[in-house]
Amino acid sequence: MNNNFDVIVLGVGSMGSAACHYLAKRGHRVLGLEQFEIPHDQGSHAGQSRIIRKAYFEHPDYVPLLQRAYKNWKLLESEANAQVYFSTGLLYAGKPEGILIKGVKESSEKFSIPVESLNATECQSRYPQFAIPDGYEILFEPDAGFVTPERAILLFVDQAIKHGATIHTKESVIEWKKSGTGISVITHKNVYTCAKLIITAGPWASRFIPQLSSKLAVSRQVLAWVNPNQSQSFALGKFPCWLIDDESKPGMYYGFPVLPVGQWGGPIGLKIAHHYPGEVTDPDKVNRVSSPADEANIIYALNKFLPDGYKSMHVLKTCLYTNTPDENFVLDFLPENDNVAIAAGFSGHGFKFASAIGEIMADLVTKGNTGLPIDFLRINRFIL
Ligand SMILES: Cc1cc2nc3c(=O)[nH]c(=O)nc-3n(C[C@H](O)[C@H](O)[C@H](O)COP(=O)(O)OP(=O)(O)OC[C@H]3O[C@@H](n4cnc5c(N)ncnc54)[C@H](O)[C@@H]3O)c2cc1C
């Protein structure tokens, strides 16, 4: 067996699978190493759906990357003849002076992204499922929706293999080190060498980038699927994705329509979660048992914003965020070794970008740079 590759991708989850796809498509000899099955529910990508939106409240600098991500998701769909993006529209609500409403307006104005403003009566007649508190502003982004993480990862991997990539599952990387002019990667099964290494290890990233360990905090996040009253009124096609900035709690609540039984895998029900860094954890020692407080937090939000949304709890699951101090990603080379590129710290909002990040990582290791604007995500924010 030839153990030498142009590029090794450490971690074949959201970002790693996309990187393998772009590299293989360009004809590079790529090895993707994944410690678990592909996909799996121990990292950051499990749970059927991830919101995708363009009027990015977090920062307008993300919008060009989102425009590329939308384009690249379409490309994946046409190459794989499958659907990963579902347009449902997205309802935003919050105090006018809060970061959500202010940020959505700023990005949508700067980049002319269609966003409608709804008054309470219009919202009630279009989506009577919501109870939006008085004094909240309501916006609607028609071009938003969700992407399907597990399916997208599998498609990226299938396409990568079709273009000649080698992907090993259940093979855990123990360490990497400089070796001659390149890198050697040691797993619990073998030793490989490569010219370039991409680290896309998600919650485990700081094991391989110890310089960043004080800047990457892994947190335990809870996702819930509940049985609503009148499931039909929350069904895909009738009910949008949503994101509400609750002024009496930190962070935001968000959710998805009820998906039809059969084609999605995983739990079926009304899916809801709280976007706010949870308890800090070790990715190998996560408490995956939900607590009464986890459950109470979900029921609180449903009672407040979707009064018909909660009849009974179906299932709660845990997933992991990897948070940076400014909640922005890190996309760069390691300062001391430009043969190693990293994509880390996605801070709970990265999946929608995976199709663009794959391209960016392939650009970095094959061309030395990318035409996509990532300067605001460089590592020199944290280490020089
Ligand atoms: C509850 C929840 C809700 C979210 N909602 C949204 C949303 O609505 N919209 C959105 O855009 N984003 C959302 N996100 C964020 C998004 O899912 C993450 O930002 C994204 O999945 C991170 O991708 P990643 O590639 O860094 O991590 P992962 O997808 O976890 O991939 C990392 C991979 O590296 C592998 N790995 C690690 N160490 C090793 C090793 N030693 N050897 C081999 N393999 C290794 C892991 O097993 C894993 O497969 C959400 C996240 C969570 C947890």
Side-chain angles (χ1 to χ4, degrees):
M1 193 163 91
N2 183 350
N3 283 353
N4 182 252
F5 293 85
D6 297 333
V7 185
I8 292 180
V9 177
L10 193 176
V12 188
S14 318
M15 310 304 164
S17 62
C20 289
H21 165 75
Y22 277 92
L23 286 161
K25 203 160 82 164
R26 293 178 190 179
H28 300 286
R29 294 178 51 253
V30 54
L31 169 66
L33 293 169
E34 170 54 48
Q35 63 183 340
F36 299 125
E37 298 282 10
I38 301 174
H40 61 84
D41 64 2
Q42 303 295 297
S44 297
H45 57 251
Q48 292 167 338
S49 49
R50 293 289 188 264
I51 286 179
I52 179 163
R53 52 196 160 84
K54 267 191 212 154
Y56 221 56
F57 78 85
E58 288 87 342
H59 203 285
D61 283 355
Y62 281 105
V63 177
L65 303 180
L66 286 161
Q67 288 166 331
R68 187 58 159 225
Y70 267 76
K71 195 172 155 222
N72 286 357
W73 287 123
K74 268 204 166 20
L75 205 61
L76 174 66
E77 289 184 328
S78 71
E79 286 169 355
N81 193 23
Q83 188 174 7
V84 292
Y85 165 63
F86 292 78
S87 173
T88 61
L90 173 63
L91 185 135
Y92 300 97
K95 289 279 193 187
E97 64 281 9
I99 56 162
L100 177 66
I101 296 296
K102 271 172 61 184
V104 169
K105 284 182 172 170
E106 189 187 351
S107 283
S108 68
E109 279 158 22
K110 188 161 179 195
F111 289 94
S112 304
I113 298 159
V115 170
E116 300 168 44
S117 178
L118 304 182
N119 64 33
T121 319
E122 288 164 339
C123 180
Q124 189 57 31
S125 85
R126 201 188 289 188
Y127 294 120
Q129 301 91 335
F130 288 100
I132 305 295
D134 289 345
Y136 277 31
E137 191 167 341
I138 306 164
L139 300 172
F140 187 76
E141 184 179 337
D143 211 12
F146 65 89
V147 282
T148 53
E150 293 93 339
R151 186 186 295 176
I153 288 170
L154 277 174
L155 293 176
F156 276 136
V157 167
D158 286 351
Q159 294 300 306
I161 292 171
K162 221 170 170 177
H163 288 288
T166 305
I167 306 287
H168 292 179
T169 57
K170 295 191 181 167
E171 182 161 357
S172 195
V173 175
I174 294 161
E175 65 171 324
W176 66 268
K177 45 190 176 192
K178 263 177 86 168
S179 145
T181 56
I183 304 290
S184 74
V185 175
I186 297 113
T187 74
H188 76 286
K189 291 185 181 165
N190 221 324
V191 176
Y192 306 92
T193 53
C194 57
K196 305 281 176 183
L197 172 67
I198 295 178
I199 301 178
T200 44
W204 291 267
S206 58
R207 305 257 159 98
F208 303 102
I209 322 163
Q211 312 90 304
L212 267 189
S213 61
S214 67
K215 307 292 181 190
L216 296 176
V218 177
S219 63
R220 169 188 180 272
Q221 306 296 139
V222 175
L223 288 162
W225 284 258
V226 307
N227 303 310
N229 288 311
Q230 302 160 9
S231 196
Q232 261 317 305
S233 59
F234 295 97
L236 182 64
K238 285 196 183 144
F239 184 66
C241 289
W242 58 275
L243 182 55
I244 299 183
D245 185 3
D246 180 355
E247 95 264 35
S248 40
K249 297 266 183 168
M252 295 167 198
Y253 293 94
Y254 66 95
F256 301 80
V258 175
L259 304 179
V261 178
Q263 44 176 312
W264 303 88
I268 292 298
L270 183 64
K271 181 180 163 189
I272 165 172
H274 189 186
H275 178 56
Y276 184 67
E279 183 189 322
V280 173
T281 186
D282 176 327
D284 289 323
K285 295 179 190 153
V286 181
N287 169 17
R288 303 225 176 237
V289 181
S290 60
S291 71
D294 295 329
E295 198 166 329
N297 185 29
I298 295 297
I299 296 171
Y300 155 84
L302 286 166
N303 286 341
K304 183 163 179 181
F305 302 118
L306 293 168
D308 270 336
Y310 184 73
K311 187 165 78 178
S312 58
M313 188 57 70
H314 177 37
V315 64
L316 291 129
K317 291 196 174 256
T318 51
C319 192
L320 302 174
Y321 282 4
T322 309
N323 306 292
T324 63
D326 60 9
E327 297 183 13
N328 292 313
F329 318 154
V330 181
L331 303 180
D332 213 339
F333 294 103
L334 285 186
E336 71 279 13
N337 192 332
D338 61 9
N339 289 328
V340 181
I342 63 167
F346 288 94
S347 305
H349 62 113
F351 195 85
K352 63 181 83 60
F353 295 88
S355 60
I357 307 287
E359 182 184 0
I360 290 166
M361 299 317 287
D363 287 347
L364 289 182
V365 297
T366 61
K367 301 178 189 165
N369 213 331
T370 176
L372 288 161
I374 60 164
D375 280 350
F376 72 114
L377 303 173
R378 296 282 184 183
I379 202 168
N380 60 10
R381 295 173 0 249
F382 302 128
I383 50 174
L384 293 173

